[in-house]
Amino acid sequence: MSWRTTRATAQDEQGSRQVAVIDLGSNSWRLVVFSYGAGPWWKRTDELYETVRIGAGLARTGELSTLAMERGLETLAVFERFCRAGRIEPQDIHPVATSAIRDASNGPAFLVEAERVSGVTIEVLSAEDEAHFGYVAAVNTTTLENGAVLDLGGGSLQLTEVHGRRAAASASFPLGAVRLTEELLSADRPAKKKELSRVRAHAREALDSLPWLAGAGERLVGMGGAVRNLAAAAQAAAGDGLDLGVQGFVITPEVLANLVEQLAELNPAERGSVAGVKPGRGDIVLAAALVLETVVEAGGFAGLEVTEAGLREGL
């Protein structure tokens, strides 16, 4: 369990209050604490992170596996204890689940058990709501006026068309990094060219149903753990270091192509050793890069501009 904190709690800032957002994604789960006051400011003050991989095996069986659910319940128990120790009121804890739990046939049963363990009711976001909160995060952390927002997770891909900073249309596709890795890529050897072509073709076929994508403009803002990892890997490859952050970094089509080539030559277990890529994402990062490459090409975008914000900030 990773714990990143600046320890600026509600007790440290007079009149401030804490809100916890729990994001139960298909790959990683996060509890993020935001502190805010009566004025216009807010800041992230604590974060817990765990690679739960709740969506493991879902593409094959349609269900959450027993082991994945056990990992999830253990993580929720830790989250609950953390919130209790921090004296965060139950009404200020906002847990949300995304595509894996939304799509699983046993998702409702898992939510009942999760509420018993954590004491809070988990809201399952619709695909539309998931896209909306990503859009809200993107337009409030970038200067995006016209273009598109991309949110890539473990189970799904959300795309939102933006005009005049307003969301004009959105769509969700089952093109998440965990899902495509399990469906289309080898788990124990470097990727073959035909596998890369198969992932690209699968993603392109899905995106062909989106009539506005090619006319959205040149600017694409992306978010999600894999997006941030790929941006960090691009920075490291360019010799920029990993301490700069990736906010505003643009991954060009050429850089994406180089990353795909580099990652494809490695075994899945080795990809997490690439500078900038977290070990918990190593096996799925190639699928993510292929999806991003396909979106950039299909939309004719100049590149992918990264925001470090995401669903949690949107909420």
Side-chain angles (χ1 to χ4, degrees):
M1 180 82 62
S2 292
W3 179 13
R4 185 174 65 196
T5 174
T6 57
R7 303 309 305 163
T9 65
Q11 289 73 33
D12 300 325
E13 300 285 354
Q14 185 175 3
S16 70
R17 181 178 172 188
Q18 291 181 306
V19 165
V21 177
I22 299 175
D23 178 2
L24 310 182
S26 299
N27 182 60
S28 61
W29 285 16
R30 277 184 170 85
L31 182 155
V32 182
V33 179
F34 299 96
S35 294
Y36 66 97
W41 65 268
W42 60 268
K43 57 185 175 181
R44 177 169 23 186
T45 50
D46 285 295
E47 180 174 1
L48 294 179
Y49 169 92
E50 183 70 11
T51 304
V52 172
R53 195 66 66 89
I54 193 69
L58 178 63
R60 183 180 67 256
T61 66
E63 295 183 341
L64 305 177
S65 71
T66 299
L67 287 175
M69 289 190 289
E70 289 175 356
R71 291 193 299 268
L73 294 175
E74 290 172 1
T75 301
L76 282 174
V78 173
F79 287 177
E80 186 277 330
R81 290 195 295 270
F82 182 85
C83 289
R84 182 154 37 89
R87 298 182 181 179
I88 301 175
E89 298 295 332
Q91 66 268 21
D92 290 327
I93 303 171
H94 304 280
V96 296
T98 55
S99 65
I101 295 174
R102 180 172 68 230
D103 296 342
S105 61
N106 58 345
F110 173 73
L111 291 173
V112 171
E113 182 64 9
E115 182 172 352
R116 185 191 68 79
V117 169
S118 66
V120 293
T121 301
I122 297 169
E123 177 186 3
V124 179
L125 297 180
S126 66
E128 294 77 15
D129 283 343
E130 191 175 350
H132 172 74
F133 288 123
Y135 146 77
V136 169
V139 296
N140 283 287
T141 55
T142 71
T143 59
L144 179 66
E145 291 279 348
N146 301 292
V149 174
L150 173 153
D151 186 356
L152 179 61
S156 62
L157 165 74
Q158 278 67 239
L159 289 167
T160 302
E161 182 184 19
V162 178
H163 286 311
R165 290 179 58 81
R166 299 289 184 182
S170 67
S172 180
F173 302 94
L175 297 175
V178 173
R179 188 187 298 263
L180 292 189
T181 298
E182 292 183 350
E183 289 181 343
L184 301 173
L185 292 175
S186 170
D188 57 6
R189 56 167 172 73
K192 297 181 178 180
K193 289 185 178 180
K194 64 180 181 181
E195 291 175 322
L196 304 181
S197 298
R198 190 161 60 222
V199 175
R200 290 185 179 109
H202 181 75
R204 186 59 190 252
E205 182 180 4
L207 295 172
D208 282 344
S209 66
L210 203 57
W212 55 261
L213 185 61
E218 291 191 352
R219 196 167 177 191
L220 175 68
V221 172
M223 65 182 64
V227 171
R228 293 190 298 273
N229 277 214
L230 287 165
Q235 282 185 334
D240 292 337
L242 298 176
D243 57 345
L244 302 176
V246 295
Q247 180 70 31
F249 184 84
V250 176
I251 311 175
T252 65
E254 295 76 19
V255 168
L256 263 177
N258 290 338
L259 285 169
V260 167
E261 183 178 0
Q262 177 189 6
L263 294 167
E265 292 175 349
L266 301 173
N267 290 320
E270 296 173 329
R271 293 171 193 152
S273 65
V274 173
V277 177
K278 291 182 177 180
R281 292 190 186 276
D283 59 330
I284 63 172
V285 72
L286 174 59
L290 289 164
V291 171
L292 299 180
E293 185 182 47
T294 306
V295 172
V296 169
E297 179 185 351
F301 297 107
L304 177 66
E305 176 186 339
V306 180
T307 176
E308 293 182 353
L311 175 71
R312 298 165 294 280
E313 283 76 16
L315 280 161

